[in-house]
Every structure is written in structure tokens, then in C-alpha cells.
Amino acid sequence: MIVLAMDMNVTPAIFRAFMMDRIYLPDHLGLRMLGDKRNLSILLELAQNGKFSPDENALILKNIPWTSFIENKKVIFKDSEYILQELLKTDKDKFVIKVARGFQGKDVFIGKFSTDKEWEEALELALKNSAFIAQEFSDSLDFLAPNTENEWTLHKLIWGSFGFGDSYGGVWVRMSEVKTDVGVINSATGAVEAIVFEIVN
């Protein structure tokens, strides 16, 4: 039996069957927990407080963009304290608001691509739901890649690696042309997917 874990109600019977290898789930049940982007905020806070090894703290702080639950609170951003709501309103172009357990680019609002009114509405939605995060905007480097007309043009890329058990499998990308960039790079909103050709020496 094949089921998609992200779209199902996981009852104790399903969990038990999964643990006994009686059903196969292409998406691991743990994705429900690991896929919650609020984990990034928790990781950052723990690393800032030195709760991991020095190497792990440095790795987290270097690679995870600033992230915070959206709620009425004070936050530290770039070594200064702010009221989160005011920070997001004042410097909207530096931030993204997104639903914590979203997919397919839904409920993602990019400050620099939003009008003031759209951004205000996104912030109001986030404050009402307590299921949204704010993240520092991270722009993509531009790469030459073929578009849907097989012309090589500048694209913004989202990189994803995959594996098979403990073995490295490869890398795939989602690509969106720079000339049509709207901030969200997702297949459901028009991005193209491609496998990266790798040369190993």
C-alpha cells in the first residue's frame, strides 16, 4: 500500500503499521514535524545561546537566515532590539512572511515584491494565525540556464539535494527567470525543475 504522508491523518494504527514496515510512505512521517519552518527559529535561538557544540553553533548561525515566529514581541535583529511588528513594517524589503507549514509557494509574501497594503494585510494575517514566521530575505545568485524556449538566460535558483539512505544521490534545482522574478521560486508558480549535471573528479 502506498500513501502520501503529508496529506494523511496519521492514526496510531497507521503509525504502528509504518514502524512494522507494513505500509510504505514515500514521505517519512517525521516530515510533518521537520517540515515546520518554526524549527528554524528554534534552532537559531538555541545556537545563539550556545546549546550545541561550537562547530554546530557556527554552522547554524552561518547558514540559517534570521527567522522568528510572528507574534507581538521584541526580537534581536542584527544585534539590535526591535518590536517585531514595527521592524517588519519599517524595513519590509528586508523580510519575507510565510506560513510555517506551507508548500507550493502558498501564503509566502516577499516584502520587496509587495505593496505597502499587501504587506500590511500579510502581517495582519500572520498576527491573527500564530502559524507564520518572518525571515530575512535571501536573494539568489543569478545563473545561466535554459528557459522553456531552450534559450540560455539568467535565472534565480533554489537548490535541493537528495540521497538514497546514507548515500548521496544528487542535486536538483527550481529555476525562475530573472526577467519574470516575483520572489517566490516554486514549481507551482511557474518555476522550472532540472537535475544538475555533476562532474566528479
Side-chain angles (χ1 to χ4, degrees):
M1 179 180 184
I2 298 178
V3 210
L4 294 177
M6 295 299 282
D7 299 327
M8 63 186 289
N9 179 27
V10 181
T11 64
I14 290 174
F15 183 77
R16 188 167 39 254
F18 173 70
M19 295 304 293
M20 296 175 65
D21 288 331
R22 299 301 301 265
I23 60 174
Y24 173 69
L25 301 170
D27 294 327
H28 192 280
L29 288 179
L31 284 178
R32 282 179 168 249
M33 180 182 67
L34 296 174
D36 191 321
K37 297 173 187 73
R38 288 172 288 197
N39 289 324
L40 299 175
S41 178
I42 294 168
L43 270 177
L44 280 174
E45 186 176 329
L46 291 172
Q48 286 164 348
N49 292 315
K51 298 299 184 182
F52 304 105
S53 73
D55 287 346
E56 290 168 336
N57 290 328
L59 183 69
I60 291 167
L61 294 172
K62 178 183 176 186
N63 292 290
I64 295 180
W66 179 89
T67 306
S68 175
F69 301 150
I70 296 183
E71 50 193 13
N72 290 310
K73 64 177 183 179
K74 292 182 179 178
V75 295
I76 302 296
F77 177 71
K78 304 284 189 191
D79 298 322
S80 296
E81 186 177 76
Y82 300 90
I83 295 171
L84 178 59
Q85 190 172 348
E86 292 178 7
L87 173 66
L88 294 177
K89 284 181 180 178
T90 304
D91 287 322
K92 79 175 184 68
D93 288 1
K94 294 181 182 175
F95 298 102
V96 176
I97 293 174
K98 61 175 76 169
V99 69
R101 293 188 57 200
F103 60 97
Q104 294 186 338
K106 297 174 184 172
D107 292 320
V108 177
F109 308 95
I110 314 291
K112 67 184 287 187
F113 292 98
S114 301
T115 65
D116 289 343
K117 183 175 185 297
E118 289 168 340
W119 188 248
E120 183 74 30
E121 289 171 354
L123 185 53
E124 285 177 16
L125 173 68
L127 286 166
K128 286 178 189 171
N129 283 279
S130 70
F132 283 76
I133 60 166
Q135 273 189 323
E136 187 174 9
F137 177 74
S138 299
D139 206 356
S140 166
L141 297 175
D142 296 343
F143 287 87
L144 276 174
N147 63 14
T148 52
E149 286 79 41
N150 206 27
E151 300 167 333
W152 286 79
T153 61
L154 288 175
H155 283 69
K156 296 198 175 288
L157 274 59
I158 297 291
W159 299 77
S161 59
F162 59 93
F164 300 100
D166 294 332
S167 301
Y168 171 73
V171 175
W172 59 272
V173 291
R174 292 185 306 234
M175 309 183 297
S176 181
E177 280 193 276
V178 169
K179 66 183 180 183
T180 57
D181 183 27
V182 293
V184 178
I185 304 171
N186 193 282
S187 308
T189 56
V192 175
E193 294 184 4
I195 297 293
V196 174
F197 178 71
E198 300 178 62
I199 299 174
V200 181
N201 292 326

